[in-house]
Amino acid sequence: MPENKFMLIDGNSLLFRAFYALPLLRNSEGVFTNGVYGFITMLKRVMAEQQPSHILVAFDKDRKTFRSDIYSDYKANRQAPPDEIRGQFQLLREVLEAMKIDYLEQEGYEADDIIGTLSKMAEEEGIECVIVTGDGDALQLVSDKVTVLMTKKGISEMEIFDTQKVMEKWEVEPARMIEIKALMGDSSDNIPGVPGVGPKTAIKLIKEFLCLEGLYDKLSEIKGKKLLERLTENKAQAFLSRQLATIVRDMDIKESIYDFSLKEADLDALLQIYRRLEFKNFIESMQSESPAKNAGNEGNTCAEPAVQVLDTKESTAEFVSGIGSTDSVSVYIEADYHHPMWAKIQGIYLDVNGRVYHLPIGEETARLEWMRTLFESDYIPKYLHNSKYAQVILKRYGIELQGVSGDTMLLAYVNDPAFDGEDLSDTIYKYLNITAGKKHPAVLVNRIRELYSCLREKLSAEQQSLFLEVEMPLSDVLAQMEFCGLKLERNTLMSISAELAGGLKVNESRIYELAGEHFNINSPKQLGKVLFENLGLRVVKKTKTGYSTGAEVLEELSNEHEIIPHILNYRQLTKLKSTYADALQGMIHPETGRVHSIFKQAQTATGRLSSVEPNLQNIPIRMEEGRKIRRAFIVESRDWMMLSADYSQIDLRSLAHISNDQVLIDTFKKGIDVHTRTAAEIFKVPLEGVDEDLRRRAKAVNFGIIYGISDFGLSRDTGVSRQEARKYIDNYLDSYPGVRRYMQDIVEFGRQNGYVETILKRRRYLPDLNAKNKMLQSFARRMALNTPVQGSSADIIKLAMIRVHEEIKSRSLRARLLLQVHDDLLLEVPENEFEEVMEIVKYSMENAYELRVPLLVSLKSGPNWYEMQEIKA
């Protein structure tokens, strides 16, 4: 093997090549596999031939990229990929993860751009690089260090392109390929080029004039009236086409190429995937290649249990009727995607008293009816891992999952919130020490009950209450919220996107004017050159690849040149447009017209909920342009309203309760503004003498204390010196002695016990409180201060959600919870229920848990999430 050889693989290109080259293969459960099978075949061969030391697979993130922003018709003529290949992208990622082969995708860019950037990094390091693709655009990247291995026919033939081979075929050096593409265009990518100019003419012109600039500088030398007219009329189109065809080579990629070294595959995981996909040839190959290694794992291998297939209505009915209320039933749903609202059920595995049964589904969705009685039975206890996922996906098929008695994912979370236990196989490995076979559904379902018992034994009585009385009922609430989703108006998003595009153009023009030149604003390298070389701004920070142009650097320079605020604004508008206004359109479910976020219940160490795909807790509100995104979130119909219920300063109220600080408690009981009171205390002025500036500084101190802020951090947030910031903190702790005592006591408690806890005894383990490394110890100290406060607030709002949901359900109201944004609940309410629901929500939230200080809730309502008006008491 060469000392260093970097292989870059165009994941999309090879998967599509394999998919169309092979017949539609599928496993016995109906999962299409031909693209993945062909990809692996090609991958194994090129790896054997090329012997890379480093390897990466690049994927397109989605169809929306910066090129489509530049030219809306870019790739517009491409049909949507067939349904048969959609699920194979996720399957391929699973295979790559098991192979321990890294893959990368980045929003706004294509796989080509990732490959272009990394191949340039390899060149600069003097490392040989081979690109495996079926896309001719990659030929522009060929150099002395970079070769392209091009798929030619089917999945078996490939052709190597080096500089000489490119020149033999195209008669120009590789870098000139983009000039040819600019003229002749590309119908597959819908790059327009110059109409009437084909490959031969384009090659002839570039051989003579070298580039577009050379061609248009000497346009008068063109012979042929028609060709001259076409070139003249389509000059702008030619330059646009070159911009579209040019692969980006200076993306901001955090990883070094050395991070993508070839690693040993997880053979157990890979074998189970091959078994699930029924790739017999690959299974046999693995077993023959490393029998010794496979044999070495027998000590902690979980044997695959015998599986009885339920493939008839009669056999399933007999199976269901034989289950009693004292039987232990574990359920594992196998689906083709991780998002329950977009996934299709492939099969259901059940373990009843240690025996495993399998109901194949695939396209035979009517078979789910055979299990309806079992799933909807409240008296038959069921155990699952991530029962919320099962509830949502079954509800899509019209089945209400009832009788969930245990959820091993939530148990693992209560046991140790720092452990990511979403993957059942990882959880089994951690707690039952089983490795081999861990990915097979039959093995997984067979171990759920054992895992449940193991985890329950580890919990204290308080933790068991937290699991049974908070996390389990909350899972039901979140399942209903996920299934319901929020109605999203596409036309409004399109209008907002157009507004943002207009704002970007204004910013872009001003940036170019101030810079004195056109450049790629999104390129850190080009931006760095403009700011620090051309404009001569102060260099704040340098990285391995050049000047740092991150947000912190630009914020520090914001007063040093007029261009900086425009660049910051440009970045904000770009993010708003791509991440929200544009991306949300693609997340609207075609059947419901709503966007269905996944609420991650077992992810944060403090107990807070998070929201993904999309993250609806992170819709921007600081800029008016960002707030307008909320205008697209609308109610069910005109006779419905949105209701928002927001806790007032719940973290500070939690701090008052936990610290038992009498001054802080008095402040909240008397209804004094806590930030004004703090300002009066630390700045030694009367309450009536506190102005907005002093209140703003006091607010930073109040929240800083919760998060364990240092004098340095407070100095940065308030703009005062570190000495003055230190004085603020000292004055605060003198004014609130109960808080000072709490800060000392909680850290000591953490050191003695190894964890800190919330009001509901949710633990966070912090072994680094006793670390010798001062940096680790300092970080753990901040977590010790913050977790009980923020975690207790999270506990309270979870209790509130359960109470609101149960009260609405018990009264048979149509109102429904839609979203939780940390301290805020969002509901959708019919107008004729509004007064009743408003009272339910306010009472439930303000009485969710009894603190030493009152809990207060403010209410807003409106026709959409943007036009919300405060409801006066």
Side-chain angles (χ1 to χ4, degrees), residues 167-178:
M167 293 190 71
E168 284 175 9
K169 184 168 182 176
W170 292 93
E171 302 176 42
V172 296
E173 58 194 55
R176 304 285 180 199
M177 291 294 297
I178 55 171

Side-chain angles (χ1 to χ4, degrees), residues 48 51 57 253 312 425 434 467 508 570 602 639 676 690 717 836:
Q51 294 287 297
V57 179
I253 294 177
T312 67
S425 63
I434 294 170
F467 168 68
E508 190 176 59
Y570 178 88
D639 57 347
T676 302
V690 175
D717 290 350
E836 184 178 2

Side-chain angles (χ1 to χ4, degrees), residues 18 80 174 183 203 232 254 301 360 392 407 417 458 461 518 526 548 565 567 587-588 607 707 729 756 766 808 810 825:
L183 294 173
I203 290 170
T232 304
K254 297 176 182 176
T301 296
V392 177
D407 187 323
K458 292 177 178 293
H518 283 235
Q526 293 185 34
S548 173
I567 293 169
M587 295 181 177
I588 300 173
Y707 297 109
I729 293 172
V756 294
L766 296 169
I808 287 174
S810 69
L825 296 183

Side-chain angles (χ1 to χ4, degrees), residues 469-532:
E469 297 169 21
V470 180
E471 297 301 346
M472 284 293 290
L474 181 70
S475 179
D476 291 340
V477 179
L478 296 176
Q480 297 301 318
M481 289 166 60
E482 283 186 19
F483 182 79
C484 176
L486 278 79
K487 193 170 184 180
L488 197 53
E489 200 167 47
R490 190 186 303 274
N491 288 342
T492 302
L493 287 174
M494 292 171 67
S495 173
I496 293 169
S497 179
E499 288 177 24
L500 291 169
L504 281 168
K505 283 188 178 179
V506 171
N507 263 269
E508 190 176 59
S509 298
R510 185 60 179 144
I511 290 167
Y512 292 155
E513 182 184 339
L514 291 167
E517 64 177 281
H518 283 235
F519 65 100
N520 181 358
I521 302 168
N522 296 312
S523 164
K525 190 168 185 179
Q526 293 185 34
L527 178 60
K529 182 176 182 297
V530 167
L531 296 181
F532 304 114

Side-chain angles (χ1 to χ4, degrees), residues 585-701:
Q585 294 180 47
M587 295 181 177
I588 300 173
H589 200 284
E591 295 171 14
T592 66
R594 301 169 83 93
V595 62
H596 301 267
S597 179
I598 297 175
F599 296 102
K600 295 283 188 178
Q601 187 178 353
Q603 191 166 72
T604 69
T606 60
R608 277 194 163 191
L609 296 176
S610 60
S611 160
V612 297
E613 296 189 58
N615 181 355
L616 296 181
Q617 294 179 330
N618 205 30
I619 303 294
I621 56 172
R622 289 187 178 180
M623 295 175 67
E624 176 61 18
E625 294 90 343
R627 282 193 293 274
K628 284 181 180 177
I629 301 289
R630 294 188 170 198
R631 199 173 67 210
F633 290 87
I634 60 174
V635 290
E636 177 69 22
S637 58
R638 289 184 179 179
D639 57 347
W640 287 61
M641 295 178 70
M642 274 193 179
L643 173 65
S644 165
D646 188 9
Y647 273 121
S648 170
Q649 299 166 333
I650 190 170
D651 283 349
L652 290 171
R653 292 172 191 268
S654 294
L655 175 63
H657 174 83
I658 293 168
S659 68
N660 198 19
D661 183 278
Q662 294 306 306
V663 180
L664 207 49
I665 289 171
D666 180 69
T667 302
F668 284 118
K669 282 188 171 181
K670 290 181 177 176
I672 301 170
D673 178 77
V674 67
H675 302 313
T676 302
R677 176 72 175 264
T678 298
E681 295 284 349
I682 65 177
F683 298 119
K684 309 304 179 187
V685 296
L687 284 172
E688 58 273 15
V690 175
D691 60 19
E692 277 303 310
D693 181 57
L694 291 181
R695 185 182 183 277
R696 177 185 61 81
R697 295 187 195 183
K699 185 176 181 180
V701 177

Side-chain angles (χ1 to χ4, degrees), residues 216-233:
Y216 280 99
D217 283 348
K218 299 180 180 179
L219 207 56
S220 58
E221 298 179 17
I222 296 295
K223 296 174 184 177
K225 182 180 176 183
K226 199 136 190 162
L227 177 59
L228 180 60
E229 286 177 0
R230 287 171 175 162
L231 290 170
T232 304
E233 291 171 4

